[in-house]
Amino acid sequence: MTQPRGRDALRDRARRVFEAAVAAVDPGEVVRRSLAARGQTLVVGQARLPLRRGGRLLALAVGKAAVPMLAAAERILGARLSAGLAVTKRGHGEPLRRSRVLESGHPVPDEAGLSASREVERLLAGLSADDVVLVLVSGGGSALLPAPAEGITLAEKQAVTSLLLASGADIGEMNCVRKHLSRLKGGGLARCAAPARVATVVLSDVVGDPLDVIASGPTVPDPTTFAEALAVLERRAILGRVPAAVRQRLEAGVRGELAETPKAGDPIFAGAVHHLGGTNRVAVAAAARAARKLGFRPLVLTTSVTGEAREVAAVLAAMAREVRQSGQPARPPCCLLSGGEPTVTLRGQGKGGRNQELALAAAFGIEGLAEVVLLSGGTDGNDGPTDAAGALCDGTTLSRARALGLDPRRHLAENDAYPFFEALGDLVITGPTRTNVMDLHVVLVGAERQRAGTRRRKR
Amino acid sequence: MTQPRGRDALRDRARRVFEAAVAAVDPGEVVRRSLAARGQTLVVGQARLPLRRGGRLLALAVGKAAVPMLAAAERILGARLSAGLAVTKRGHGEPLRRSRVLESGHPVPDEAGLSASREVERLLAGLSADDVVLVLVSGGGSALLPAPAEGITLAEKQAVTSLLLASGADIGEMNCVRKHLSRLKGGGLARCAAPARVATVVLSDVVGDPLDVIASGPTVPDPTTFAEALAVLERRAILGRVPAAVRQRLEAGVRGELAETPKAGDPIFAGAVHHLGGTNRVAVAAAARAARKLGFRPLVLTTSVTGEAREVAAVLAAMAREVRQSGQPARPPCCLLSGGEPTVTLRGQGKGGRNQELALAAAFGIEGLAEVVLLSGGTDGNDGPTDAAGALCDGTTLSRARALGLDPRRHLAENDAYPFFEALGDLVITGPTRTNVMDLHVVLVGAERQRAGTRRRKR
């Protein structure tokens, strides 16, 4: 090909930085970094849990990464593990050496999920204070373990969810209500396991890593109350439309006739350990190390970026321009890194995902810049309904696209980034990674040795 | 008041950082920094122009800051100045010691502007190679000096502008067409002044400081052609609707019957000097120095931020959170700085401006954070149709607002930030500053000594 080597090298390095970040949050890697067994002591993050004689050690993995997480835990725990159970998304199951594997519905909960929840409760029933439960949580855990509270059916719970969504309720309001209609969410799983000690390792797919939100916080104190749940339904003007059993339950809860979700300070959390083993920040830090090894000064901007993908792209591109023009916020060669989960407001009928759209929008902002590459990729390897994790762009993206007869503005307007980057060979394809800590944005700015698009004299 | 001192101090410091930035781009200050006269040598930025015996030194200031720029130049040049002319926005005129001052229409060009353009041409007519013309350019120059090309009326030119705007043409396309319908835009003024040497000092109100765009680049080579101008009208499907004289002129230009706008390499630009004296980057650098003096580690993110104000706010807030959580991209106490010109897509009927809206949106992103203040302000002192330059927010903004009975979401949805911040006492009011290098965003993150909203023990 006639592309200059310098540019290809920079693009290749951006891919390597992204791959290093994804590797650092591989579910098995996360468990290996978070968990160790030394003699009769279990080490979870910074915490040490003595395994008592006669006590059992159970492992429960829930979420889309449940199988690889539990597989790694099995290897670490060896014969110390009394029993294990993984509940994962249909199609994600694989046999494990010492543990049972159950599949259930995601993102829509189903009967298999109800049955899996009962299996979980059975596993945790009747434990003693000598027992330890290792809980491995990853994204999707909430839908995979539906456990409607007594007197509520799954259909009724889902009806409330639909009403909340349609009413414009935010994620905090949704969780507040749903935790009060569930046996396992909002600390319910920890209550089942009591008086056993519970240690949780979390692979976070939520911006900001709030433990009470990830997988609905099954082992985490719930800061919300029945009264607040009822207030949400009133505020969102759907109290009159939720199933009668739901309203009755919440009202009974407010009257103090039902047990509240477990709160901070509850003795069931006395020995509880929570370790954020895999987060966007962990991935970004690995990206920073990889960039440094490749000769780029890393600068982490944020790990909780949200907002419209094309707008995030504009801000990142503005920073890339600033690096080129004034050596700020970092002197090139450098690597600006951010992470999080932007969104896309669909306007067109095209094929793409938020990462590909971000890269396409960024191409406008860095057009013509020499030695600048921006890669946006989802750590799960699936950007929108595509087989790509994301895409990358540089200062020549728009001109190369136009040379191929593509209209970049039209592709952006149509949310149609996939065919655009496919034609350019600039998709980032990793295949499913089995992990998910949201997205990464890698901006590499090389030392400016040449103008973009011109060849070096010496080949 | 019961507000903790720590928070007030931080807010006060944010205001001081902003004020230092605005002071650095005061029009007089910009000219004093850009211009010096030493004996018979004129120093403009890095360039030195010998003033030849018998030659004249003329000063021409155009734009909203024309009067204070020319006033400063008069003081520096003293008796060296042969004649001066300032053309500014109606209401911005003030008498100058040695120069004439003309007012014309802005943003809609008018008859006074046509007359001012003729005055400019008269001033520049018949100059010799021994003469020097100092041109002081600031925002608004394009509208203030309308000079339709021969055979085109002001009304016809404005009709084309309206058609272009309605067709979705971008700023590059607009400028390409308008420069080919004008006597002064796109290097036309430099052609009038030839063979005199022309030195231009620019106060930039355009993102990225493109010299050929600021005030339509009256002294700058035009990279665009008649053929491109015609192609824009075709591409935007308005060629059949523009006034006949316009189409005829462009077609005649394409046939080579009219002189092109002056291009790079044209001898008229041989001794030309262009100095970007006042830019967003200059203001941001001054903000960085002020922050450092106040004990905050400065980090400049970008000086060319664009996009929807509330989305920019989300990204800045995400970075503030990262500073709090991980000490990245800078360790606190630190000051993140960005600049540029976000936009607001109006959805509501409220009162506000893009800076106030950015601050209101940011309040959601930094809610509850201790020792974080974000200030967004327009350097011209006028944010939207309000008497405020902008506003500031911190981790307590939303709770303080709710305590006053304000609904922050409603104010944001209604583009109604002014009354919101007015009630909180958090507007930033500077009065008109007579300068404009767009907006600044100042994020101060203090050392965390206390939780937001709690008082210190010792008073």
Side-chain angles (χ1 to χ4, degrees):
Chain A
M1 304 296 291
T2 58
Q3 293 168 353
R5 280 179 200 173
R7 203 190 66 217
D8 276 359
L10 200 65
R11 291 139 61 91
D12 181 57
R13 286 186 194 117
R15 290 177 188 271
R16 284 163 68 186
V17 169
F18 177 68
E19 285 157 15
V22 173
V25 287
D26 171 82
E29 181 61 27
V30 165
V31 169
R32 284 188 289 278
R33 222 173 29 230
S34 305
L35 189 68
R38 299 196 187 122
Q40 285 310 103
T41 301
L42 190 66
V43 182
V44 181
Q46 303 297 313
R48 306 170 70 84
L49 286 86
L51 297 175
R52 297 181 193 148
R53 188 170 305 205
R56 303 177 72 212
L57 172 57
L58 305 177
L60 171 63
V62 186
K64 285 186 270 180
V67 167
M69 286 182 88
L70 188 48
E74 280 189 344
R75 280 189 291 276
I76 292 163
L77 302 175
R80 296 173 188 84
L81 186 62
S82 312
L85 174 61
V87 182
T88 195
K89 181 176 172 172
R90 192 157 288 117
H92 283 44
E94 284 171 42
L96 290 173
R97 212 173 294 182
R98 299 163 170 270
S99 307
R100 293 176 60 200
V101 176
L102 301 175
E103 294 187 339
S104 69
H106 182 281
V108 183
D110 62 5
E111 286 294 324
L114 289 175
S115 149
S117 294
R118 284 189 294 266
E119 288 293 320
V120 167
E121 290 172 308
R122 207 164 293 145
L123 179 74
L124 302 179
L127 296 182
S128 84
D130 290 332
D131 298 326
V132 170
V133 181
L134 175 67
V135 182
L136 306 171
V137 172
S138 53
S142 189
L144 293 168
L145 277 189
E150 209 189 321
I152 312 275
T153 66
L154 181 57
E156 287 168 336
K157 208 172 146 195
Q158 287 178 287
V160 175
T161 299
S162 302
L163 283 167
L164 283 166
L165 273 176
S167 76
D170 63 32
I171 181 71
E173 292 174 324
M174 303 269 297
N175 280 334
C176 169
V177 174
R178 292 189 297 184
K179 286 178 178 180
H180 285 87
L181 302 177
S182 165
R183 306 195 304 278
L184 293 177
K185 295 187 209 307
L189 195 148
R191 181 178 273 159
C192 286
R197 288 160 292 160
V198 177
T200 308
V201 174
V202 178
L203 180 60
S204 167
D205 67 342
V206 181
V207 170
D209 310 322
L211 287 170
D212 61 323
V213 175
I214 303 161
S216 297
T219 63
V220 181
D222 176 23
T224 70
T225 64
F226 274 111
E228 284 167 18
L230 205 58
V232 168
L233 300 186
E234 277 174 353
R235 184 161 61 242
R236 295 297 174 179
I238 54 175
L239 183 56
R241 287 148 69 201
V242 299
V246 168
R247 179 174 183 159
Q248 282 157 18
R249 175 177 170 79
L250 296 182
E251 289 173 343
V254 172
R255 290 193 303 270
E257 295 166 12
L258 299 171
E260 253 297 352
T261 49
K263 300 287 172 273
D266 190 307
I268 67 169
F269 298 116
V273 172
H274 295 95
H275 179 66
L276 279 164
T279 61
N280 190 271
R281 186 170 290 134
V282 167
V284 165
R289 284 192 300 275
R292 193 185 298 279
K293 268 192 197 164
L294 292 167
F296 297 84
R297 194 174 284 113
L299 184 71
V300 175
L301 301 171
T302 176
T303 58
S304 64
V305 71
T306 56
E308 188 71 25
R310 61 184 68 195
E311 304 277 347
V312 173
V315 177
L316 292 175
M319 287 194 236
R321 291 196 299 271
E322 193 67 33
V323 171
R324 235 325 133 247
Q325 289 162 14
S326 77
Q328 302 179 101
R331 260 181 309 127
C334 65
C335 177
L336 307 184
L337 291 162
S338 72
E341 193 166 80
T343 46
V344 168
T345 305
L346 285 177
R347 287 163 240 227
Q349 302 290 322
K351 180 179 180 185
R354 59 183 186 259
N355 286 287
Q356 293 160 64
E357 175 138 326
L358 194 154
L360 176 50
F364 289 89
I366 63 172
E367 186 175 11
L369 286 192
E371 295 270 313
V372 174
V373 168
L374 183 148
L375 183 156
S376 182
T379 54
D380 62 357
N382 277 112
D383 189 34
T386 76
D387 62 0
L392 55 77
C393 66
D394 67 14
T396 70
T397 294
L398 297 191
S399 57
R400 286 186 293 128
R402 291 190 187 111
L404 294 175
L406 299 169
D407 178 351
R409 288 229 171 265
R410 201 191 58 75
H411 280 271
L412 185 58
E414 287 293 317
N415 305 119
D416 195 34
Y418 184 92
F420 180 89
F421 286 113
E422 189 178 33
L424 290 172
D426 284 344
L427 289 170
V428 174
I429 295 181
T430 58
T433 61
R434 306 205 297 179
T435 190
N436 185 15
V437 295
M438 303 172 290
D439 304 339
L440 288 178
H441 317 117
V442 178
V443 182
L444 284 188
V445 184
E448 189 176 17
R449 291 180 307 263
Q450 53 178 31
R451 298 246 155 222
T454 62
R455 299 191 200 173
R456 293 184 195 187
R457 281 197 200 142
K458 281 201 167 182
R459 301 300 297 262
Chain B
M1 302 297 291
T2 58
Q3 294 169 354
R5 282 179 199 173
R7 202 189 67 218
D8 277 359
L10 200 65
R11 291 138 63 92
D12 180 57
R13 287 186 193 117
R15 290 177 187 270
R16 284 162 68 186
V17 169
F18 178 67
E19 285 158 15
V22 172
V25 287
D26 171 81
E29 182 62 27
V30 165
V31 170
R32 283 188 290 277
R33 224 174 24 232
S34 304
L35 189 67
R38 300 195 186 124
Q40 285 309 102
T41 302
L42 190 66
V43 183
V44 181
Q46 305 295 313
R48 305 168 70 85
L49 286 86
L51 297 175
R52 296 179 195 148
R53 191 168 307 208
R56 301 177 73 213
L57 172 57
L58 304 177
L60 172 63
V62 186
K64 284 187 269 180
V67 167
M69 288 181 87
L70 188 48
E74 279 190 345
R75 280 188 291 275
I76 292 163
L77 302 176
R80 296 173 187 85
L81 185 63
S82 311
L85 174 62
V87 182
T88 195
K89 181 175 172 174
R90 193 156 288 117
H92 283 46
E94 282 171 43
L96 290 173
R97 215 173 291 183
R98 299 163 169 271
S99 307
R100 291 175 62 201
V101 176
L102 300 176
E103 295 188 339
S104 68
H106 181 280
V108 182
D110 62 5
E111 285 294 324
L114 290 174
S115 151
S117 293
R118 284 189 295 268
E119 288 293 321
V120 167
E121 290 172 306
R122 208 164 293 146
L123 180 73
L124 302 179
L127 297 182
S128 84
D130 290 332
D131 300 326
V132 170
V133 181
L134 174 67
V135 182
L136 307 170
V137 171
S138 54
S142 190
L144 293 168
L145 277 189
E150 212 189 320
I152 311 276
T153 66
L154 181 58
E156 286 169 339
K157 209 171 144 194
Q158 287 179 287
V160 176
T161 300
S162 302
L163 283 167
L164 283 166
L165 273 174
S167 77
D170 63 33
I171 182 71
E173 292 174 323
M174 303 269 297
N175 279 335
C176 168
V177 174
R178 292 190 296 184
K179 285 177 178 181
H180 286 87
L181 303 176
S182 166
R183 305 195 305 278
L184 294 178
K185 295 188 210 305
L189 195 148
R191 180 178 274 160
C192 286
R197 289 159 292 160
V198 177
T200 308
V201 173
V202 178
L203 180 60
S204 166
D205 67 340
V206 180
V207 169
D209 309 321
L211 287 171
D212 60 323
V213 175
I214 302 162
S216 296
T219 63
V220 181
D222 176 23
T224 70
T225 63
F226 274 111
E228 285 166 17
L230 205 59
V232 167
L233 300 186
E234 276 174 353
R235 183 161 63 240
R236 294 298 174 177
I238 53 175
L239 183 56
R241 287 150 69 201
V242 299
V246 167
R247 180 173 183 160
Q248 282 157 21
R249 174 176 170 80
L250 296 181
E251 289 174 344
V254 171
R255 289 194 305 270
E257 296 165 13
L258 299 171
E260 253 295 354
T261 48
K263 300 286 173 273
D266 190 308
I268 68 168
F269 298 118
V273 172
H274 295 95
H275 178 66
L276 278 164
T279 61
N280 190 270
R281 187 170 290 135
V282 167
V284 165
R289 285 192 300 276
R292 193 185 298 278
K293 270 192 197 164
L294 291 168
F296 297 84
R297 194 174 283 112
L299 185 71
V300 175
L301 302 170
T302 175
T303 58
S304 64
V305 69
T306 56
E308 188 71 24
R310 62 184 69 195
E311 305 279 346
V312 173
V315 178
L316 291 176
M319 286 193 237
R321 291 196 299 269
E322 193 67 33
V323 170
R324 240 315 137 253
Q325 290 162 12
S326 78
Q328 301 179 101
R331 260 181 311 126
C334 65
C335 177
L336 308 184
L337 291 162
S338 72
E341 192 165 82
T343 46
V344 168
T345 304
L346 285 177
R347 286 163 240 225
Q349 301 290 322
K351 181 178 179 185
R354 59 184 185 258
N355 287 287
Q356 293 158 64
E357 176 139 324
L358 193 155
L360 176 50
F364 289 89
I366 64 171
E367 187 175 9
L369 285 193
E371 293 271 312
V372 174
V373 168
L374 182 149
L375 182 156
S376 183
T379 54
D380 63 358
N382 277 111
D383 189 33
T386 76
D387 62 0
L392 55 76
C393 66
D394 67 14
T396 70
T397 294
L398 297 190
S399 58
R400 285 186 294 128
R402 290 187 188 113
L404 294 175
L406 299 169
D407 179 349
R409 290 230 170 265
R410 200 191 57 76
H411 280 272
L412 185 57
E414 287 292 316
N415 304 119
D416 196 33
Y418 184 93
F420 180 88
F421 285 114
E422 189 179 34
L424 291 172
D426 284 343
L427 288 171
V428 174
I429 295 182
T430 59
T433 61
R434 307 204 298 179
T435 191
N436 185 14
V437 295
M438 303 172 291
D439 304 339
L440 289 178
H441 317 118
V442 178
V443 183
L444 284 188
V445 185
E448 190 175 18
R449 291 181 306 266
Q450 53 178 33
R451 296 249 153 220
T454 62
R455 299 190 201 173
R456 294 183 191 182
R457 282 202 200 137
K458 278 202 168 181
R459 302 300 296 264

